[in-house]
Each structure stands twice: as C-alpha cells, then as structure tokens.
Amino acid sequence: AVFGPQDDSELLLEGRAEARDADLSYALSLAGSYTRVSDFVSAFEPEAFVFPGNLTIDGSLTGDLHSYRLDIRALEISEADAFAFAAEGTLEQDDEGPARIEVSAHGTAAALERILALPDEIEGVLTESELILSIGGSLAEPKLTELGVALFGAGGTEVRLSNPDLDLNVTGLE
C-alpha cells in the first residue's frame, strides 16, 4: 500500500514484479482513492494538467523500465456537490514521449461553470447537467475529443448538445 503524504489518499497494489539482469517488468492490480486527482495524475506526469476533485480508481498496471500501461476499469472523479463522473480507459507512456490518456466518461454537474466557461446569464438558470465526454492526448495538454451535454433549468427547460468530433485543449477551459 502507498499512502499520500498530506491526506487520506492510498493506493493498494498487488501482483508480481520480475527482475532479470538489467530488466524489470511488472503486472499489478491497483485500487486507490485520492483526495486530489492532481496528486494521482502527477505521479505519472509531473507537468500534468491539474484536474479538480477527488478520485477512486480500480485497474491494472503493466510495464517495464521503458513503458507502462494503466488499464482503468473504473474511475470515479467527484467534488462535493459540484460534479461526479465515472470513467474508463487507458493511461500509457513509453520512451518515445509523455504520458498519454484515453478515457471516456459520463456524469453530472450541478455547477457547470466549474467545468465549462458559460456566460453569467446562462449560469443563473441552470439547475443540473449531464455530460458525456472523451479526453485524449498527453497528461500535460489533454484534449476534449467528444462532448455531449444535457442542460436542465428552471421551468422544466432542457437543452441537449453534442459534438462527437472535437479537438479542444482542456487547459483552455480553466
């Protein structure tokens, strides 16, 4: 088990590691919870985008001295009553470059302004939203590659929008 230095974060690893001469390989199952998503992500990429919220994760990690692959079976990211997402996908890195992520997520956001920049006039009438999104690219500069949004507001207002072919830099949404 690996525990976070400043809070109740923990990561449980179970599996095998094999060392031969100058080689090392491993296959581990992992389960964990972090009070800050950024603490988990920065372990893989120090220059990673600072995602908000806390997370729980279940997956498997395989690799060697030159590469790794994290297969994410279940990932939940949330922050109080502001938003909650469930996701699955992969995170991988090799000698060729930075860590790359490919995840698909769905969830809800009561405070959509924490995720998307909206005009003040729209923010005031929204009561809830549902989102479906895909994120890909490097951890330092992740891209939103797909987005579907259902907005719910006062008086039963409902608006659904989708764009299945995006290439939007997540860092631009801060």
Side-chain angles (χ1 to χ4, degrees):
V2 179
F3 297 95
Q6 300 172 2
D7 50 40
D8 294 330
S9 299
E10 68 178 355
L11 183 65
L12 304 172
L13 303 166
E14 186 177 312
R16 67 161 184 82
E18 186 176 308
R20 234 177 250 193
D21 298 323
D23 290 330
L24 172 71
S25 63
Y26 50 89
L28 307 167
S29 64
L30 65 89
S33 61
Y34 281 75
T35 54
R36 288 183 302 276
V37 174
S38 58
D39 290 347
F40 177 77
V41 175
S42 66
F44 293 95
E45 176 65 52
E47 300 299 318
F49 174 74
V50 180
F51 289 95
N54 56 61
L55 79 86
T56 60
I57 187 168
D58 177 56
S60 60
L61 180 65
T62 56
D64 56 30
L65 294 175
H66 305 286
S67 65
Y68 65 80
R69 178 180 172 100
L70 172 59
D71 288 303
I72 303 165
R73 288 186 291 269
L75 175 74
E76 294 179 8
I77 298 176
S78 62
E79 185 164 315
D81 294 330
F83 59 85
F85 287 95
E88 58 185 32
T90 61
L91 173 65
E92 56 189 331
Q93 183 176 24
D94 57 32
D95 288 341
E96 302 299 314
R100 295 172 308 280
I101 189 169
E102 294 292 332
V103 296
S104 295
H106 63 279
T108 60
L112 194 59
E113 69 276 3
R114 294 289 315 268
I115 299 168
L116 300 173
L118 295 172
D120 291 339
E121 300 81 26
I122 294 176
E123 282 182 28
V125 298
L126 295 178
T127 58
E128 187 178 346
S129 62
E130 294 177 1
L131 296 113
I132 296 172
L133 53 94
S134 295
I135 296 176
S138 75
L139 281 177
E141 295 184 18
K143 303 260 186 198
L144 189 59
T145 58
E146 179 180 359
L147 177 64
V149 180
L151 304 172
F152 304 95
T157 303
E158 183 176 325
V159 177
R160 294 185 181 273
L161 309 165
S162 67
N163 188 337
D165 193 26
L166 284 176
D167 187 25
L168 183 61
N169 194 335
V170 172
T171 56
L173 301 176
E174 292 183 272

